[in-house]
Structure formats: C-alpha cells, structure tokens
C-alpha cells in the first residue's frame, strides 16, 4: 500500500525545540523529519520531497537565512514553502530579510500552537492537492498517449488492410496475366510445332529433288541450271535448319525435350564431329585441331544433344573464324565430368554484345554469315538441360572461346530430382 502522508522538515539546533514542534504538528498525521543543523537540512532536501520547512533562524555554523538561500537556489527545491522561526531576531530588518529570502511566513517564539498548526496544515493541503494534480496530469498524458497509440495502430491496421487488399488484387491480376501468358506461349509452341512438321515435308522434297537433279538423275544440266539448283539446295537446307531450330526451341520451352542417357565417349564424339564439319572447314579454309588433355573417358549424358551443342559451336567458329585455325581442347574435370573449349581466332565479340548472343533471333556480328540466330540460345538451354553450362570469353579482333562443361553422370542428377519430388509429395 502506498504511503500517502507528506513530509514536513523541522530544522533547529536544539532537540527540545524539535520535540515541541513534533508535538504541535502531530495532529496533522504527517511524517516529521528532523534536522539538527543547516547542512543536515540541506542533505534532507536533496534526498526527499517536503510539503513545507520549519526553519530556525539562529543556528551555529549555518544560520536559517543561509540555508534558505541555498534551498531557493536549486531548481528542485525552490518552490518548497519555508516558515522561519525565531526567538531573538524580531526586528523588522530580519523579518524583511526572511521574506526576501523566499519565506512564506516569519513566526516569533513563543508561538501559538494552534496558529502554527493551521499555517502548516494549509501548506500540507496545498502540497497534497498539487501532488494530486500532477498525478491526474500524468494519468491524462498516459491516456492521451494510449489514445494516440490506439489511433496509430488503427491507422496502421487500416493501411495494412488496404495494402493487403491491393496486394491481393495485384496477385490476382498477375495470376490472370500469367495464365494468359502460359496459354499464349502454349498456343505459340503448338503453332511452332505444327508449322515445323508441316514445313519439313515440302522442304525435304525440295532438297531431295534438287539433289537428284544435281546428280543428273533426270539428265545432264548446263552450268546455269546447276548454279540455280545449287542455290536452291543451299536455301532449302538453311530453311530446314531454321525449322528444326524453331521446333527444338518450342520443345525446350514446353518442357518436352526427352533425354536418352547413354555413355558419351571422348574424344571419339569430337573426332566424329570433325568428320562432319570438315567440308565446311575446307570451304572456309580453317584447319581443325584437337588437344586431348586426358586419357579417353566417358560420361553419362544424351549424346545426341551433346553433339548438337558442339556441332553448333564448331560451325560458328568456322563461319566467324576468318579462315584461321580452329582449336578444340577436351579435359576431364575434378568431378570426372568434361570440359570442352572451342577456340577460334576470328572477329570476336564486343563485351556489350556477349549477353545478347544468347538471345533468340539475335545476330550481333557484322559478318554476313548465314544463320538463324537460334543456335547459341538453344545450345545454352541444352547445356543447362544436361545440368552443365555454356560460357564464352571473347576479345574483338582476336577471337572467341566457348566452353561447354558437363557433369560425370546426368543419370545421378535426374535420380536425385525424382527422389526429391517423391519426398516433397510425401
């Protein structure tokens, strides 16, 4: 339980005077604090809060006026009412000095107990009311603070609710757009696949009949006829390449690429590719060389897709190599995978163009070499599909290095993915 009594400081160097003051003020029911000297009174004022101070004027070491002056000079104690008590200094000059020091009263000894008690009671009552006002002011401030906090929380909740509603609306719109995009991409991929299948038949017919005619199956051709058929055959083969690339791209985007995992032998696969691209290399005047930095080894992957990526890299190196040598390195990685680098000494690629060469239908080189603009994007996607990577380092005017890295066994990675999918469903 909180003690509601207030403290009254009694200051006098004589014990019998302090005892008499306590007896007079005891009916007020408050706490009396004694001080036998000025310094002791100052210590009490520093330690506690008082409703009023009854201060004797005539004391040794430090008189009442000096004590009052120090009390009034401090911010914390300057408002404490001081009643001077004096039995000797009754002249007007002393009374005036007492009031000038900030006293609220100057009482002469012997004093009327009832009058003194009444005066002290006034200050006690005033102190109690001031304390109650302070308490109510604190309660009011707390209430205002709680109200402000409540308003802030309410405003915050309303803002969060609005933000949540807006986010939900945006998510719904995003989902709607995503569904529409997936539908559009699905329709596009179906169109690509259908178009590719429909175009292959007439293109293959053009290629087949052109080849037969160039082989003089239907009779001899003159020079002009042969040149025209050769240009037709070249254009048809380029068109077939474009159709095949578009079909591959649509399959990759639709996630319908099927992998056939088999041992892929090195350097045998690269040597077979050299045989395939030798006519193109001879046409451009580029020499092919292979540097095998390990004993023959194999990985488990899809040989058809590995060939497709490397064939594209070799063809590009020949086309953009300006007739200079094409160098291929092959080595086994520390994880028993493979790293193959296709190096040319051709035109090279500007640093700002390197990210763009992996974009669909983009050709950044100033060279007029034929191409679909899909070879490198498809090659990088196939490399990622094989759990590998395709990177490039190039310096304009000095050539480019395309590096294909593949793991030792794609079968282990696919098995781990299947186990993870089963665990996730469980």
């Amino acid at each position: 339980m909180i003690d509601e009594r207030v403290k009254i400081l009694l200051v006098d160097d004589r014990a019998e005077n302090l005892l008499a003051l306590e007896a007079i003020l005891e009916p007020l029911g408050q706490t009396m604090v004694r001080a036998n000297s000025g310094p002791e009174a100052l210590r009490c004022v520093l330690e506690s809060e008082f409703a009023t101070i009854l201060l004797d004027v005539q004391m040794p070491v430090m008189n009442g006026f000096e004590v009052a002056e120090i009390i009034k000079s401090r911010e914390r104690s300057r408002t404490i009412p001081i009643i001077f008590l004096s039995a000797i200094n009754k002249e007007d000059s002393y009374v005036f000095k007492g009031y000038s020091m900030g006293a609220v009263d100057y009482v002469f000894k012997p004093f009327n107990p009832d009058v003194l008690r009444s005066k002290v009671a006034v200050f006690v009552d005033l102190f109690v009311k001031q304390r109650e006002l302070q308490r109510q002011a604190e309660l009011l401030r707390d209430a205002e603070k709680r109200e402000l906090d409540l308003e802030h929380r309410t405003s915050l909740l309303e803002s969060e609710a609005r933000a949540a509603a807006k986010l939900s609306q945006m998510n719904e719109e995003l989902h709607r757009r995503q569904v529409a995009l997936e539908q559009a991409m699905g329709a596009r991929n179906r169109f690509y696949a259908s178009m590719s299948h429909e175009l292959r038949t007439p293109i293959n017919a053009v290629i087949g009949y052109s080849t037969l005619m160039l082989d003089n199956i239907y009779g001899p051709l003159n020079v002009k006829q042969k040149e025209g058929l050769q240009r037709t055959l070249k254009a048809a083969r380029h068109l077939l390449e474009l159709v095949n690339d578009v079909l591959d791209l649509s399959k990759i985007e639709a996630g319908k690429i099927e992998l056939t995992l088999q041992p892929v032998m090195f350097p045998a696969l690269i040597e077979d590719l050299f045989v395939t691209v030798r006519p193109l290399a001879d046409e451009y005047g580029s020499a092919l060389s292979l540097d095998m930095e390990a004993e023959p080894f194999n990985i488990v992957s899809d040989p058809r897709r590995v060939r497709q990526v490397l064939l594209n890299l070799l063809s590009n190196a020949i086309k953009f190599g300006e007739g200079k040598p094409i160098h291929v390195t092959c080595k086994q990685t520390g994880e028993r995978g493979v790293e193959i680098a296709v190096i040319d000494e051709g035109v090279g690629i500007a640093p700002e163009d390197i990210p763009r060469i992996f974009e669909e239908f983009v050709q950044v080189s100033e060279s007029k070499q034929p191409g679909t603009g899909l070879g490198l994007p498809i090659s990088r996607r196939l490399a990622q599909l094989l759990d590998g990577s395709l990177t490039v380092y190039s310096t304009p005017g000095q050539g480019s290095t395309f590096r294909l890295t593949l793991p030792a066994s794609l079968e282990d990675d696919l098995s781990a993915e299947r186990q993870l999918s089963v665990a996730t469903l469980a």
Side-chain angles (χ1 to χ4, degrees):
M1 184 176 179
I2 301 175
D3 188 358
E4 295 291 340
R5 294 183 300 175
V6 302
K7 293 181 179 180
I8 301 172
L9 181 59
L10 310 177
V11 186
D12 199 304
D13 61 319
R14 302 183 60 156
E16 61 270 21
N17 290 341
L18 293 174
L19 186 60
L21 286 173
E22 281 188 346
I24 293 171
L25 301 177
E26 184 179 2
L28 297 178
Q30 307 302 327
T31 301
M32 307 298 164
V33 179
R34 293 184 180 188
N36 296 312
S37 65
E40 186 178 353
L42 294 175
R43 281 195 299 272
C44 291
V45 172
L46 288 175
E47 295 172 358
S48 301
E49 191 175 16
F50 294 96
T52 185
I53 301 174
L54 277 67
L55 181 59
D56 185 35
V57 175
Q58 192 66 34
M59 291 186 298
V61 181
M62 181 181 289
N63 63 40
F65 293 145
E66 294 171 334
V67 175
E69 184 178 9
I70 295 175
I71 290 174
K72 293 297 182 179
S73 67
R74 292 173 178 168
E75 184 67 28
R76 181 184 171 190
S77 58
R78 64 190 308 171
T79 59
I80 302 176
I82 298 176
I83 300 176
F84 281 118
L85 304 176
S86 178
I88 301 174
N89 302 317
K90 298 182 180 181
E91 293 84 358
D92 290 343
S93 59
Y94 283 97
V95 175
F96 177 76
K97 184 175 182 181
Y99 283 114
S100 67
M101 298 299 299
V104 296
D105 206 346
Y106 198 104
V107 180
F108 299 112
K109 300 178 182 179
F111 41 73
N112 186 316
D114 294 330
V115 174
L116 181 62
R117 189 184 308 113
S118 297
K119 291 182 178 181
V120 173
V122 170
F123 295 115
V124 168
D125 185 57
L126 180 61
F127 181 82
V128 170
K129 290 181 179 179
Q130 287 177 339
R131 188 166 64 180
E132 183 62 27
L133 285 174
Q134 290 177 352
R135 194 175 298 167
Q136 291 178 358
E138 290 175 1
L139 291 175
L140 182 60
R141 283 195 298 270
D142 291 342
E144 291 175 348
K145 183 179 179 182
R146 285 195 298 271
E147 184 177 357
L148 287 174
D149 289 342
L150 182 59
E151 289 178 359
H152 177 69
R153 284 198 296 269
T154 302
S155 176
L156 186 62
L157 288 173
E158 290 175 352
S159 299
E160 289 178 351
R162 288 193 297 269
K166 187 174 182 180
L167 180 61
S168 176
Q169 183 179 0
M170 291 175 63
N171 285 336
E172 291 177 0
E173 177 66 17
L174 182 62
H175 177 69
R176 186 185 63 79
R177 292 187 180 184
Q178 183 178 0
V179 170
L181 178 60
E182 290 175 354
Q183 292 174 346
M185 290 182 66
R188 187 197 69 174
N189 290 336
R190 287 192 297 272
F191 170 74
Y192 279 171
S194 175
M195 178 195 70
S196 299
H197 285 297
E198 293 296 328
L199 288 176
R200 274 179 170 182
T201 300
I203 292 173
N204 283 326
V206 172
I207 292 174
Y209 282 113
S210 298
T211 303
L212 290 174
M213 293 178 70
L214 286 170
D215 290 341
N216 297 319
I217 298 299
Y218 299 106
L221 302 171
N222 60 40
V223 175
K224 291 293 183 180
Q225 290 172 333
K226 185 172 291 189
E227 287 178 356
L229 281 174
Q230 286 174 341
R231 284 196 291 269
T232 300
L233 181 60
K234 186 175 182 181
R237 284 174 174 167
H238 177 65
L239 183 57
L240 182 61
E241 179 186 353
L242 174 60
V243 169
N244 289 334
D245 284 346
V246 169
L247 183 58
D248 278 342
L249 183 63
S250 66
K251 285 182 178 180
I252 292 173
E253 290 185 347
K256 294 182 178 180
I257 287 285
E258 296 181 359
L259 300 179
T260 303
L261 302 184
Q262 299 175 9
V264 183
M265 306 300 298
F266 293 98
L269 183 140
I270 300 175
E271 291 170 346
D272 289 343
L273 285 172
F274 274 14
V275 174
T276 302
V277 300
R278 184 75 63 187
L280 182 65
D282 292 342
E283 179 184 343
Y284 282 86
S286 294
L288 302 176
S289 63
L290 172 63
D291 183 8
M292 186 67 183
E293 300 181 14
E295 295 297 321
F297 64 95
N298 69 279
I299 65 171
V300 177
S301 191
D302 187 328
R304 175 169 171 262
R305 297 304 178 182
V306 176
R307 283 177 58 88
Q308 183 177 350
V309 174
L310 290 176
L311 180 60
N312 180 70
L313 297 182
L314 285 169
S315 299
N316 282 350
I318 294 170
K319 291 176 183 177
F320 300 100
E322 297 187 324
K324 297 178 182 178
I326 308 299
H327 186 57
V328 179
T329 64
C330 178
K331 66 179 181 179
Q332 194 169 27
T333 63
E335 295 78 20
R336 304 187 67 80
V338 64
E339 182 182 293
I340 305 163
V342 179
I343 307 164
D344 68 68
E345 301 175 15
V347 295
I349 307 166
E352 63 272 14
D353 288 333
I354 286 180
R356 298 182 60 226
I357 65 174
F358 294 105
E359 296 177 7
E360 299 162 11
F361 300 104
V362 172
Q363 288 183 300
V364 298
S365 175
E366 296 180 357
S367 174
K368 302 301 181 182
Q369 299 299 335
T372 64
L374 290 174
L376 286 176
I378 291 175
S379 296
R380 170 168 276 188
R381 292 197 187 191
L382 288 176
Q384 294 170 345
L385 194 64
L386 297 172
D387 202 23
S389 64
L390 177 60
T391 57
V392 59
Y393 173 79
S394 184
T395 302
Q398 297 183 18
S400 304
T401 298
F402 285 84
R403 184 168 281 103
L404 173 66
T405 304
L406 297 173
S409 176
L410 180 61
E411 192 171 28
D412 294 340
D413 296 336
L414 293 178
S415 176
E417 287 182 10
R418 282 195 292 269
Q419 292 176 5
L420 180 60
S421 298
V422 172
T424 303
L425 291 174

